[in-house]
Amino acid sequence: MSYQNSLRLGDTISNLTGVIDYSYSEFRVLPTQTPQFMATNARTSNPEFNGTGSLKIASFNVLNYFNGDGTGQGFPTSRGADSAEEFARQSNKIVAALIDINADVVGLMEIENDGFGSHSAIADLVNKLNTQLGNNTYNYVNLNQTGIGSDEITVGFIYKPSTVSLVGSAVTTSQSPFDFGNRQPLVQTFKEIANNKELTIAVNHFKSKGSCDSATGNNADQGDGQGCWNELRTQAANELVSWLNTNPTGSTNGNILIIGDLNSYGKEDPINAITMQGYKNLISDHIGIGGYSYNFGGEVGYLDHALASSDLAPKIVDATIWHINADEPRIFDYNTEFKSTEQLTKYYGDDAYRASDHDPVIVLLNLNSNEILIGDFDGDNDIDQLDIRQFTTLVRSTNTLDIKYDFNHDNSVNNRDVRAMMSLCTRTRCAVE
């Protein structure tokens, strides 16, 4: 195995012959002959989408992007790279990933909380992007303050001024529950230059499932699979939606997108708290139960999210997760410790793969879209089991349905269109309920 000949999560194996061993509480197969590996989960050079849109929004955890003192010195830092050499390896990979994602707006997590000056981490990242792409390809949202909150890491925005402009100033809040554990959110309204349509994006990083020893009461691990600090994350979810309902940026446009590392899987309480208030889980709707952005202990799921308001949801063309990190061996990351001279070269490439430990989430949208979703009988901007039931009742009760409900295109509306409608279902589970 090498960086250019990787084994990825999801690759397959044949002719596996060996001895079953049990140690360190795990079963393992110790091959007695060389197995054959097949690259059935090949790398892709860019995120892939179904459809085309006018804007691309990404959410990317950049794994402790700390740039020392900003002048090439100041290593090791409290997080991230231990040396200037490691930081160069790290930044090469992060920059390569962002170039390949090619988003109009990127919400960042785990970037150093060192303000917005010329030596800050976010300025460093944008400068490196512009060095490769051309001056002013990207800019960053600047709060003109020393940082956001007191945590060592924070969230941020970079954006393309050629496609979007800023509407007013970005805002954040340090009110509970964003005064402890949960990083402060950052919210900015953008205007798409091509059509003057507005979009408000909130980038977030909720409290992790770690540091359980200090969690008490309902924040202690309840043994329900959601880990510790679940109550604090749920409080953050509820407070975030409540705050966004006050139009904190001053924009009254209903196009709102919540992105970020919410440290909660798709069906956990914090995500349910957001979707119960009208937001659509775009990973669930567009990828389904197989969506994942993170690999922990051999188990996968998505901690990284994109959730659209009811006004924005019909304008979403697609949402995807680009598997450049979760599927890759950890040895391919930027770190140099515990690697031989040969391994430093053999297991490294200055491209997107294993740039971080989280996969980026990317949303494709069309703010100009006013298209009515045919089959959405209950007006909730999707086609689900409730709509199928209502359509079934209509088909059985009348022979004069509008031809627009001819889902199988046979120039008539009948029971066969009920089955055809199921293929349009925008919720993975609706066809089997």
Side-chain angles (χ1 to χ4, degrees):
M1 183 183 74
S2 69
Y3 185 82
Q4 301 302 331
N5 183 29
S6 173
L7 283 176
R8 285 167 49 88
L9 187 70
D11 285 347
T12 55
I13 187 172
S14 65
N15 298 327
L16 179 61
T17 302
V19 177
I20 295 179
D21 176 66
Y22 182 82
S23 60
Y24 297 99
S25 302
E26 297 287 349
F27 286 99
R28 296 174 175 82
V29 176
L30 306 180
T32 55
Q33 62 186 46
T34 303
Q36 296 179 0
F37 294 96
M38 283 77 71
T40 48
N41 179 28
R43 292 171 173 172
T44 58
S45 57
N46 300 97
E48 298 177 343
F49 296 96
N50 295 314
T52 58
S54 62
L55 279 183
K56 192 188 298 182
I57 313 299
S59 172
F60 194 15
N61 184 317
V62 293
L63 186 59
N64 297 314
Y65 191 94
F66 280 52
N67 69 324
D69 62 5
T71 65
Q73 305 298 318
F75 296 97
T77 57
S78 58
R79 295 192 180 199
D82 292 327
S83 65
E85 177 191 5
E86 280 196 347
F87 179 64
R89 289 161 63 96
Q90 179 188 25
S91 61
N92 286 345
K93 298 181 80 65
I94 294 294
V95 167
L98 289 169
I99 289 174
D100 290 340
I101 292 170
N102 191 31
D104 299 284
V105 180
V106 183
L108 304 169
M109 292 118 263
E110 290 198 19
I111 193 158
E112 184 177 5
N113 191 14
D114 62 346
F116 302 91
S118 60
H119 295 319
S120 66
I122 197 166
D124 173 277
L125 182 57
V126 166
N127 288 339
K128 287 175 177 173
L129 283 166
N130 289 341
T131 296
Q132 295 201 35
L133 296 172
N135 289 337
N136 302 318
T137 300
Y138 279 98
N139 200 349
Y140 60 92
V141 171
N142 187 344
L143 264 65
N144 293 311
Q145 59 189 49
T146 57
I148 305 175
S150 58
D151 203 306
E152 291 181 322
I153 55 175
T154 188
V155 297
F157 283 117
I158 64 174
Y159 66 97
K160 288 184 177 180
S162 62
T163 57
V164 295
S165 60
L166 305 184
V167 180
S169 300
V171 293
T172 185
T173 177
S174 60
Q175 296 298 308
S176 177
F178 300 109
D179 56 346
F180 165 76
N182 299 301
R183 265 66 56 169
Q184 291 183 206
L186 183 64
V187 184
Q188 174 72 61
T189 297
F190 298 88
K191 179 182 290 184
E192 186 175 3
I193 293 172
N195 54 36
N196 286 323
K197 302 289 186 179
E198 292 185 2
L199 168 67
T200 298
I201 309 176
V203 59
N204 308 267
H205 191 182
F206 290 179
K207 179 73 177 75
S208 76
K209 297 175 184 287
S211 305
C212 291
D213 289 346
S214 57
T216 59
N218 290 335
N219 276 314
D221 190 340
Q222 303 297 304
D224 58 1
Q226 300 187 87
C228 58
W229 302 110
N230 183 59
E231 182 177 60
L232 187 62
R233 289 189 293 273
T234 305
Q235 291 169 347
N238 283 314
E239 181 58 31
L240 176 66
V241 174
S242 296
W243 183 49
L244 291 174
N245 286 341
T246 69
N247 303 319
T249 65
S251 174
T252 58
N253 189 290
N255 295 327
I256 303 174
L257 182 66
I258 295 173
I259 60 173
D261 177 0
L262 305 188
N263 272 308
S264 307
Y265 293 108
K267 294 298 182 182
E268 291 186 3
D269 294 339
I271 310 307
N272 289 337
I274 297 173
T275 57
M276 287 175 63
Q277 298 180 73
Y279 283 77
K280 298 297 181 183
N281 183 338
L282 300 183
I283 300 303
S284 175
D285 287 353
H286 290 269
I287 299 178
I289 60 174
Y292 66 94
S293 68
Y294 191 67
N295 176 1
F296 182 77
E299 298 181 343
V300 296
Y302 58 101
L303 301 172
D304 308 273
H305 293 268
L307 302 119
S309 65
S310 57
D311 284 353
L312 181 62
K315 301 164 188 174
I316 302 299
V317 176
D318 197 14
T320 191
I321 301 173
W322 191 25
H323 296 307
I324 55 174
N325 299 316
D327 288 351
E328 296 283 337
R330 185 176 179 180
I331 198 172
F332 291 167
D333 67 19
Y334 68 84
N335 289 280
T336 61
E337 62 265 28
F338 309 118
K339 295 175 184 174
S340 67
T341 301
E342 178 186 9
Q343 289 172 336
L344 289 174
T345 301
K346 182 178 181 181
Y347 295 146
Y348 178 78
D350 57 0
D351 56 18
Y353 299 99
R354 200 61 196 190
S356 176
D357 55 346
H358 290 247
D359 288 328
V361 174
I362 309 107
V363 177
L364 193 64
L365 51 85
N366 182 3
L367 291 180
N368 254 339
S369 175
N370 293 309
E371 182 179 344
I372 297 174
L373 186 61
I374 304 300
D376 177 23
F377 290 97
D378 57 8
D380 64 351
N381 298 311
D382 65 12
I383 297 175
D384 56 22
Q385 185 68 23
L386 294 176
D387 299 304
I388 292 172
R389 288 173 181 166
Q390 187 167 342
F391 181 53
T392 301
T393 301
L394 288 172
V395 169
R396 290 172 177 172
S397 63
T398 180
N399 294 319
T400 58
L401 284 175
D402 194 306
I403 195 65
K404 70 181 179 181
Y405 299 121
D406 176 24
F407 295 116
N408 68 344
H409 308 294
D410 64 353
N411 297 315
S412 65
V413 180
N414 50 46
N415 285 324
R416 289 189 293 273
D417 292 297
V418 174
R419 183 169 295 277
M421 182 182 175
M422 290 181 181
S423 68
L424 303 176
C425 180
T426 52
R427 291 189 179 181
T428 304
R429 66 181 185 277
C430 76
V432 297
E433 282 185 348

